[in-house]
Amino acid sequence: STFRTQIKPGDNGNVEAWFNGKKIYTFAGSDALTRADNAAKKLDDFYDQVPSMIEVTDGEGVVLFNFRPLLYVHPDDAAAAKVQRTRLAAGQPQARMENRFRHKDGSWHWLLTLGKAVKDHAGKPARLLGIVLDITERKRTEEALRDNEARLAADLTAMRRLQEVSTRLVRESSDPNPLLLEIVDAAI
């Protein structure tokens, strides 16, 4: 996978651990390579197990670390996502948004993003921290519930119509044929 920890030689005999194209740690000493390999294995194992994404940006919104990367925000959600990130970078203390991202497997996932600005000693945003949870199943369930509610509302309307026509049939029994046609129409 392209999102694995890579071990590279560093300066002065040090060993560097890189993740998603960014240097995340430098190991020094005679056992640096062994410790770097062990750390890389642990990070990769963690990466395979975590169901969420973690992102850290600087105060300008530049991504410093992105764990479980997603490739693209859905075009319909891009403007709102950019507004939220800009607000955080401008000093808004927290953000919450739900939007769709193209996952690395090519499918669209619904994500809940919770972001927080971490300020420096002067009160300016130094970093933006975020956690992103995959809420795709929740969104599917919500859509199914909305569909069921709409179907049930339509069924209830049809049942009320049948009840009204049936009541009229009982009251106006002199010529039931027009009312019987309404009952059949309402039942269909």
Side-chain angles (χ1 to χ4, degrees):
S1 168
T2 56
F3 304 113
R4 293 293 193 198
T5 307
Q6 297 174 338
I7 304 302
K8 299 179 180 181
D11 296 334
N12 301 321
N14 294 333
V15 177
E16 298 173 347
W18 289 69
F19 187 81
N20 195 20
K22 303 222 187 277
K23 182 169 70 169
I24 58 172
Y25 199 80
T26 300
F27 295 86
S30 60
D31 63 344
L33 183 58
T34 301
R35 289 185 298 126
D37 283 338
N38 289 337
K41 182 179 180 341
K42 287 178 183 177
L43 184 58
D44 287 346
D45 288 346
F46 178 72
Y47 173 84
D48 290 336
Q49 299 300 316
V50 73
S52 312
M53 182 179 104
I54 301 167
E55 181 174 280
V56 178
T57 67
D58 66 12
E60 304 296 315
V62 175
V63 176
L64 301 174
F65 181 77
N66 185 321
F67 190 74
R68 187 67 61 138
L70 299 162
L71 300 178
Y72 302 106
V73 66
H74 192 281
D76 294 345
D77 301 336
K82 186 175 181 181
V83 166
Q84 284 291 350
R85 186 172 282 211
T86 301
R87 286 181 182 164
L88 277 173
Q92 177 179 313
Q94 296 182 357
R96 175 189 169 96
M97 65 186 130
E98 293 181 5
N99 50 23
R100 293 159 290 177
F101 280 83
R102 171 91 59 202
H103 191 270
K104 65 183 178 181
D105 69 6
S107 64
W108 289 106
H109 285 240
W110 273 100
L111 302 176
L112 167 63
T113 304
L114 303 170
K116 179 177 182 174
V118 177
K119 297 180 180 182
D120 63 15
H121 64 282
K124 290 185 169 188
R127 282 189 308 271
L128 304 177
L129 302 177
I131 184 163
V132 181
L133 303 172
D134 189 329
I135 59 169
T136 304
E137 286 306 313
R138 186 192 92 194
K139 287 293 197 176
R140 287 181 185 145
T141 301
E142 289 172 354
E143 183 177 356
L145 285 171
R146 281 191 301 275
D147 292 347
N148 284 338
E149 287 172 354
R151 184 184 46 80
L152 288 172
D155 289 349
L156 182 59
T157 300
M159 288 178 10
R160 284 185 179 144
R161 183 172 172 217
L162 276 172
Q163 181 183 16
E164 290 170 9
V165 173
S166 299
T167 302
R168 285 178 38 213
L169 178 62
V170 170
R171 288 187 187 148
E172 304 167 13
S173 60
S174 62
D175 185 13
N177 288 332
L179 292 174
L180 287 173
L181 290 174
E182 278 190 60
I183 291 173
V184 170
D185 182 53
I188 296 176

